[in-house]
Amino acid sequence: MTDPKRLLDGDGSDLEQLLLASGRSARPKATARWKAEALFLLAGVGIVGKAKAAAVPGSKAYAWIATRYLAYALGAGATAWGAAHVLAARSPDAPSAGEQARAARPPASPRPVESPRAEAAPPNAPLAVPSPERNAVRAPSEGPSERAVARASREGARAVAASGPSQTPASSSSIAVADPVASSSVGSEIQELERARAALSTGDARGAIGALDRYDRAFPKGALQQEALRLRVEALVSVGDRTTARSLANRFRALYPNSPHAKRLNSLVNEP
Amino acid sequence: MVERSVLEPQLSLTPSTRLSGPAALEFHRLFKERYHGIWRFLRGLGVPPDLIDDAVQQVFLVYAERHAVVVKGSEGSFLFGTALRVAHVVRRGNRWETPGDVDFARSEVPNVDELTDQKRARQVLDMILDQIDPEQRSVFVLYEIEGFTLPEIAEMISIPLGTATSRLRRGRERFTSLVHRYSLTRGTKTEGSR
């Protein structure tokens, strides 16, 4: 039995094709994807992996992670100007990164209909080869920090494109971009929380609590407070302080009732 | 009213969910490759916009939890099959509107001439898809929008190939008749040739 010709491949009327093409061109906001990946990263899911983290030690690994988020933020077509503001926009009072990115771009022309099969290509791959048009837009308004972010993003995109166990630290150019990214707000937040998570995963719960204390002091209005609170509950359970853990878990549920972490925390603090 | 709590994970993120090494790299690869497709599929199934992001996360959480039992090469099928189930959970929790009699004459419905705006076109597409029986809609969206083959779809949602074929046929008939009705109600030009 052969599959019938698809409506979009010419078997439908013009109107049918137009409607289906609009469905096929629907795209999520870059920020939604960014947040999803941050959630998985901090939950220890989908992170670079122990082998990878070991191969890229210390600040280089954090820079690698942070640049990847920049690359994702840019993956939806935001300009470097937008990327610089994505970081700023992580402050709760600031407009969303998506709004910033939209403000930075000219009105989008309709995207060509893409084949679902084509999505295997890394969405941020084009960043590795910035178009002249983008450079032209970017150049006049670039300040030093924006250049650093733009460069970090390109490096991040390259790191993503080259990701794999075979990548060696020597081949990575992330050393050069470590500082600009680490000095950014979200990059630093991720860095501190990643320290806490790494400590927790090696059984060093007190070290994790220390890192979380530093996080709370440094980022009282941090964008990743939900993840910080979750990690703290886990750390408190690890050191046996269930009373505080339970009270914090209750606070977590009150603050973030819809968080995918809420149920896990509930079972964690109530385990015998 | 949408009940967000329906999306609370049915599973918790246990320590075993913490992926490392090759499994983490594989997860990351799949996330990159499939995030957009899963998001679009959930949207095509009618998951409300404010629940889609949570639903996508749920799909990948399920994969993270069960990755060890997913057959190599079938990861995409697993993710889309999971997305279908997650969408059904949302449907149950949401008392989703069942297909009824859509009124294309309502003032907020765009005219055919306005469909060059992708957002408006999607608004009409959503109205039409909402009028297709959920089982037919799943197969229709997977085939016509996501581009899967019928054997892939049959495997994905665990139904015989004949059933998938028949659901696609009926879904297409319904889609075509709804587009025709819409065109008659809001159209200012003919539908074009077949």
Side-chain angles (χ1 to χ4, degrees):
Chain A
M1 192 185 304
T2 55
D3 287 357
K5 198 172 176 183
R6 287 182 175 75
L7 296 176
L8 257 176
D9 292 340
D11 209 25
S13 69
D14 290 349
L15 185 53
E16 284 173 339
Q17 292 193 34
L18 190 152
L19 291 169
L20 289 169
S22 77
R24 202 178 263 190
S25 69
R27 300 188 78 83
K29 287 182 183 166
T31 44
R33 179 183 168 141
W34 189 96
K35 281 171 77 172
E37 181 134 5
L39 186 91
F40 285 124
L41 176 97
L42 293 167
V45 180
I47 195 167
V48 191
K50 283 177 185 166
K52 177 77 181 171
V56 189
S59 62
K60 280 186 280 178
Y62 299 131
W64 190 89
I65 290 163
T67 49
R68 280 195 34 230
Y69 288 108
L70 281 170
Y72 279 136
L74 286 167
T79 62
W81 187 93
H85 289 72
V86 163
L87 295 175
R90 298 305 299 164
S91 143
D93 302 328
S96 77
E99 287 162 4
Q100 291 278 8
R102 277 194 295 279
R105 270 180 294 172
S109 55
R111 283 176 177 277
V113 174
E114 66 174 33
S115 157
R117 300 302 187 199
E119 67 186 25
N124 36 24
L127 287 167
V129 190
S131 70
E133 184 186 47
R134 268 193 191 154
N135 284 333
V137 170
R138 189 188 298 136
S141 62
E142 263 183 5
S145 65
E146 285 168 343
R147 267 201 300 276
V149 169
R151 176 163 180 217
S153 309
R154 288 195 294 274
E155 297 294 342
R158 258 181 234 139
V160 172
S163 69
S166 61
Q167 191 191 3
T168 61
S171 71
S172 168
S173 54
S174 57
I175 304 167
V177 300
D179 287 342
V181 173
S183 67
S184 71
S185 153
V186 177
S188 305
E189 280 191 56
I190 291 176
Q191 188 170 327
E192 201 61 76
L193 288 187
E194 181 53 23
R195 263 189 211 119
R197 201 198 63 77
L200 201 55
S201 68
T202 58
D204 178 15
R206 295 202 182 279
I209 290 173
L212 292 167
D213 288 343
R214 282 195 299 278
Y215 174 88
D216 285 348
R217 279 195 301 274
F219 309 103
K221 288 185 176 177
L224 301 173
Q225 286 186 324
Q226 182 182 151
E227 285 70 27
L229 191 51
R230 184 186 72 82
L231 286 169
R232 187 179 288 277
V233 173
E234 286 191 36
L236 285 167
V237 169
S238 293
V239 297
D241 185 358
R242 264 175 203 281
T243 312
T244 315
R246 203 166 286 138
S247 119
L248 275 186
N250 288 337
R251 191 171 140 209
F252 186 99
R253 275 195 300 277
L255 285 171
Y256 313 109
N258 302 314
S259 166
H261 298 310
K263 192 169 179 177
R264 161 164 167 74
L265 284 187
N266 200 26
S267 60
L268 196 69
V269 296
N270 290 316
E271 273 169 11
Chain B
M1 182 62 201
V2 168
E3 287 289 335
R4 292 184 67 90
S5 59
V6 297
L7 273 178
E8 269 189 24
Q10 308 299 306
L11 51 105
S12 61
L13 207 58
T14 60
S16 65
T17 312
R18 292 184 184 284
L19 308 178
S20 61
L25 288 169
E26 175 64 10
F27 179 90
H28 181 242
R29 184 187 67 79
L30 268 182
F31 187 88
K32 273 203 308 182
E33 277 184 19
R34 299 292 188 171
Y35 180 87
H36 179 193
I38 295 294
W39 182 92
R40 188 176 50 198
F41 179 49
L42 287 164
R43 195 194 164 283
L45 291 179
V47 172
D50 63 331
L51 290 177
I52 294 181
D53 293 340
D54 285 354
V56 179
Q57 283 181 23
Q58 180 68 20
V59 170
F60 282 96
L61 271 176
V62 171
Y63 172 79
E65 185 73 14
R66 309 215 179 128
H67 70 97
V69 298
V70 178
V71 178
K72 186 91 182 148
S74 301
E75 294 90 350
S77 291
F78 180 88
L79 287 171
F80 277 88
T82 303
L84 197 59
R85 281 182 278 280
V86 167
H88 284 165
V89 171
V90 178
R91 174 185 287 277
R92 277 203 302 274
N94 246 346
R95 293 185 296 279
W96 216 319
E97 280 181 39
T98 46
D101 213 12
V102 65
D103 180 10
F104 289 120
R106 290 201 319 253
S107 59
E108 71 271 20
V109 180
N111 289 323
V112 169
D113 284 349
E114 297 174 296
L115 299 187
T116 44
D117 177 344
Q118 292 280 295
K119 202 172 162 188
R120 286 174 179 269
R122 276 197 285 274
Q123 183 189 342
V124 173
L125 175 69
D126 292 346
M127 285 182 76
I128 289 173
L129 291 177
D130 280 345
Q131 299 304 311
I132 300 177
D133 170 84
E135 288 182 339
Q136 295 166 22
R137 176 181 187 162
S138 306
V139 176
F140 181 83
V141 169
L142 282 167
Y143 190 82
E144 300 290 356
I145 297 180
E146 298 307 324
F148 285 99
T149 66
L150 279 170
E152 284 171 331
I153 295 167
E155 187 200 337
M156 204 179 289
I157 52 184
S158 307
I159 53 173
L161 181 57
T163 307
T165 307
S166 126
R167 284 184 191 174
L168 175 65
R169 181 178 45 77
R170 284 181 288 139
R172 279 172 85 148
E173 285 167 3
R174 178 82 175 137
F175 178 78
T176 297
S177 79
L178 283 159
V179 170
H180 190 61
R181 265 180 63 196
Y182 163 73
S183 163
L184 286 175
T185 315
R186 309 295 304 199
T188 52
K189 59 183 180 185
T190 54
E191 251 191 86
S193 58
R194 280 237 164 200

